[in-house]
Amino acid sequence: MESWANSGVGRDLHLDMASSSGTPSTTPRADLVTALRTAICSGRLRPGTVLPPSRTLAADFGLARNTVAGAYAELVAEGWLTARQGSGTRVADRAREPQQTSHKRRGVPPPPPMSLMPGSPDVAEFPRTAWTAAARRALTAAPHDAFGPGDPRGRIELRRAVAEYVTRTRGVRADPESVVVSASSGHGLWLLARALGGPIGVESYGLHLHRALLGDAGVATVPLELDDRGAHPPDVTGHSLTAALVTPAHQFPTGGPLHPSRRTAFVDWASSTGAVVIEDDYDGEFRYDRQPVGALQGLAPEHVVYLGTVSKSLSPAVRVGWMVLPDRLIDDVLAVKGDYERWVSATEQLTLAEFIGCGGLDRHVRRMRTLYRRRRDTLVATLASRAPHVHVAGIAAGLHVVLELPAGTEEATMARAEALGLAVIGLRTFRHPDAEDDRPDGLVVGYSTPSSARFAATLDALCRALPTR
């Protein structure tokens, strides 16, 4: 007597045999046919899915092999399955998934046809071949402990590579012991907020996602005034801030560097109050018309936390960032992070360490710097020709520019862009809720996002969306 009725789940294939029985007289083969048909119709077994060999499925469900072979043969005859010598039994291509029901499921909406949103590199240019080769080398050479729980500071291979890289390219004063790996710069900021508490000063125009992240960490934010020299340092007689978050090399979103006198003033403020400056160096590698502006951290590593990431230089899909911390903060941040690495894959850390160490990141950044500069030049020339009344600011560095618009036209411009299938974002999105509304209407245009093939069409849509005067 076959014991199929006592088995509901196979080790290689989930089939609810019990619920497939229609009547007491049903046979094991009929139940298996019904269960497979139901799994295909529901979409759980998709076209092209390879089914277990009949011997394996029979053993898993306690059936005779002939029973499984007969069920497979019946479904092949009906067109639900295909069977070819050497390729096994598969769900047939004609067995399409049922149409989606009318209710909407929560998820990421599909991207618009064209996008000039800031914050992402051209993902089509990701160096797949070089990254794959680095991963192969890194995993082949990895010690056994790399596949254990993990050090919360991050893999030593990556911390060494990061310390060398940011010292060489950004003028940071770092050693592996001062580096703590995070899942992103935003994750690093969250860890700092939990370790420092608040309130934290932020630039009056800055990344709204960072303000939300600090709020989620239970930390209040205070806007710091912003002008053409960058952010003003906090007033030592005012708020008792624990930190100030700034973007000294390339202010986001307005685009300018922090003036040297302000850099010194922020360091003096941190030194006199015991607070820290949090430096978000989100796109420090991309300079076009002037010498790179070194990291603020290099002036006073005991008072500045340096946040870095490869989300702009390489890909946001590589979920690795880092903090270069003053000695006094390392233990506090690690206490928040936990006793072992819960956030960042060790294999991804090893791959990035190898990619940096072999020169892959340097080569990729040089290539992308040339590509992005060419795109920036095309954007500026196109706007000068078709929209000369629109002032373009923040063009010397980074991956975005600011288009200054006539007063009262920002929302209408975004609406026209949306109607043309173009995603853009307004400057007002980045204003702190408590900051003075003292800047003109504008768009923050990221020219790194579109692929090269779609760049011309995307710029055409932008020009058609802009106000005529």
Side-chain angles (χ1 to χ4, degrees), residues 205 226-228 253-254 389-393 402-411 413 425-431 436-444:
Y205 279 74
L226 191 68
D227 59 25
D228 59 359
T254 61
H389 55 288
V390 174
H391 178 65
V392 186
V402 176
L403 307 187
E404 296 180 3
L405 303 177
T409 64
E410 184 175 306
E411 290 188 10
T413 302
I425 192 166
L427 181 61
R428 293 182 187 279
T429 302
F430 302 102
R431 183 175 67 86
E436 292 185 11
D437 188 5
D438 57 355
R439 289 193 171 267
D441 285 11
L443 296 181
V444 181

Side-chain angles (χ1 to χ4, degrees), residues 253-343:
T254 61
L258 187 64
H259 191 273
S261 64
R262 297 273 174 86
R263 290 163 69 94
T264 302
F266 267 102
V267 170
D268 290 345
W269 165 77
S271 175
S272 64
T273 62
V276 295
V277 179
I278 303 172
E279 177 177 16
D280 181 11
D281 194 33
Y282 66 98
D283 65 357
E285 297 92 341
F286 297 110
R287 302 285 147 180
Y288 309 120
D289 299 330
R290 59 169 183 253
Q291 285 295 108
V293 178
L296 176 63
Q297 190 267 3
L299 290 178
E302 67 277 15
H303 299 300
V304 181
V305 174
Y306 178 87
L307 296 181
T309 177
V310 292
S311 66
K312 308 297 185 295
S313 59
L314 186 59
S315 167
V318 179
R319 304 304 299 162
V320 182
W322 51 80
M323 297 170 277
V324 181
L325 296 166
D327 289 344
R328 61 190 171 97
L329 292 182
I330 293 175
D331 289 343
D332 292 341
V333 170
L334 290 176
V336 176
K337 195 177 183 194
D339 294 331
Y340 61 91
E341 181 57 78
R342 296 180 292 154
W343 309 92

Side-chain angles (χ1 to χ4, degrees), residues 32-313:
L32 180 56
V33 167
T34 301
L36 286 167
R37 219 186 262 128
T38 300
I40 295 170
C41 288
S42 69
R44 287 195 295 107
L45 293 181
R46 300 188 176 189
T49 300
V50 180
L51 298 184
S54 57
R55 184 190 302 275
T56 301
L57 193 63
D60 285 349
F61 282 88
L63 301 171
R65 183 181 179 187
N66 286 343
T67 298
V68 177
Y72 279 2
E74 183 176 337
L75 291 170
V76 168
E78 293 177 357
W80 294 102
L81 304 177
T82 61
R84 292 182 182 178
Q85 186 69 29
S87 62
T89 303
R90 298 173 180 265
V91 178
D93 288 341
R94 67 175 293 275
R96 299 295 178 188
E97 293 182 64
Q99 292 186 344
Q100 292 281 346
T101 54
S102 59
H103 70 276
K104 294 182 179 180
R105 295 180 179 178
R106 184 176 180 180
V108 178
M114 297 174 287
S115 175
L116 287 170
M117 297 290 284
S120 175
D122 182 352
V123 296
E125 298 291 336
F126 183 79
R128 302 179 190 217
T129 301
W131 183 260
T132 301
R136 186 180 299 111
R137 293 193 300 270
L139 296 183
T140 299
H144 295 318
D145 70 346
F147 306 101
D151 186 334
R153 296 173 297 175
R155 289 296 308 174
I156 184 60
E157 297 91 342
L158 180 59
R159 291 189 285 120
R160 286 172 180 157
V162 164
E164 185 278 331
Y165 179 76
V166 298
T167 298
R168 172 171 53 86
T169 64
R170 303 296 300 127
V172 174
R173 291 159 64 181
D175 61 64
E177 295 306 310
S178 65
V179 176
V180 173
V181 174
S182 58
S184 64
S185 58
H187 177 227
L189 180 59
W190 181 86
L191 292 171
L192 284 166
R194 295 297 300 270
L196 294 169
I200 291 178
V202 297
E203 294 160 324
S204 59
Y205 279 74
L207 188 60
H208 55 306
L209 301 178
H210 280 173
R211 292 196 299 268
L213 184 152
L214 291 170
D216 289 344
V219 170
T221 59
V222 176
L224 304 176
E225 185 181 346
L226 191 68
D227 59 25
D228 59 359
R229 292 189 166 198
H232 286 255
D235 184 349
V236 295
T237 63
H239 296 279
S240 299
L241 302 180
T242 62
L245 171 63
V246 292
T247 49
H250 186 224
Q251 203 283 325
F252 185 87
T254 61
L258 187 64
H259 191 273
S261 64
R262 297 273 174 86
R263 290 163 69 94
T264 302
F266 267 102
V267 170
D268 290 345
W269 165 77
S271 175
S272 64
T273 62
V276 295
V277 179
I278 303 172
E279 177 177 16
D280 181 11
D281 194 33
Y282 66 98
D283 65 357
E285 297 92 341
F286 297 110
R287 302 285 147 180
Y288 309 120
D289 299 330
R290 59 169 183 253
Q291 285 295 108
V293 178
L296 176 63
Q297 190 267 3
L299 290 178
E302 67 277 15
H303 299 300
V304 181
V305 174
Y306 178 87
L307 296 181
T309 177
V310 292
S311 66
K312 308 297 185 295
S313 59

Side-chain angles (χ1 to χ4, degrees), residues 412-468:
T413 302
M414 289 193 292
R416 284 193 298 272
E418 182 179 4
L420 292 168
L422 173 64
V424 293
I425 192 166
L427 181 61
R428 293 182 187 279
T429 302
F430 302 102
R431 183 175 67 86
H432 192 288
D434 298 332
E436 292 185 11
D437 188 5
D438 57 355
R439 289 193 171 267
D441 285 11
L443 296 181
V444 181
V445 172
Y447 49 82
S448 58
T449 305
S451 67
S452 297
R454 296 202 58 114
F455 194 57
T458 304
L459 292 189
D460 177 69
L462 172 65
C463 291
R464 285 190 285 145
L466 292 173
T468 55

